[in-house]
Amino acid sequence: MNNRSLIALDARMAEHSGIGSYIRGLVTHFSPEQKDRLVLLGDPHQLSRYGRPVISAHESIYGVWEQWAMPGRLR
């Protein structure tokens, strides 16, 4: 794996408490080099405030469909 690999973060729950707090912390504390490679998965409108590219993802949380669809969004 090279140093320019994509970092994709499932941020669909970023605006919630609990796991959302953790996601927000991750996004804001990546190093500048990591942020250059970071892409978020979730609602582009909600995640636009993070200033990172967003891949639209609206699958239900914890559903079988997310396990199938999410990897395909990264292609």
Side-chain angles (χ1 to χ4, degrees):
M1 176 158 45
N2 68 40
N3 290 336
R4 296 300 304 160
S5 301
L6 178 70
I7 301 172
L9 180 63
D10 181 353
R12 292 175 294 160
M13 299 283 292
E15 300 304 314
H16 293 80
S17 61
I19 189 69
S21 297
Y22 184 75
I23 292 167
R24 290 188 302 274
L26 280 176
V27 171
T28 58
H29 288 93
F30 276 116
S31 71
E33 295 82 16
Q34 291 169 323
K35 285 182 182 178
D36 286 344
R37 300 177 4 230
L38 180 63
V39 63
L40 304 175
L41 291 106
D43 182 335
H45 178 70
Q46 287 182 347
L47 299 174
S48 63
R49 71 185 185 125
Y50 296 104
R52 303 304 324 138
V54 178
I55 296 172
S56 182
H58 298 282
E59 287 76 26
S60 297
I61 305 296
Y62 309 122
V64 174
W65 185 249
E66 78 173 337
Q67 299 300 312
W68 183 81
M70 295 295 271
R73 296 204 182 278
L74 298 175
R75 288 190 187 108

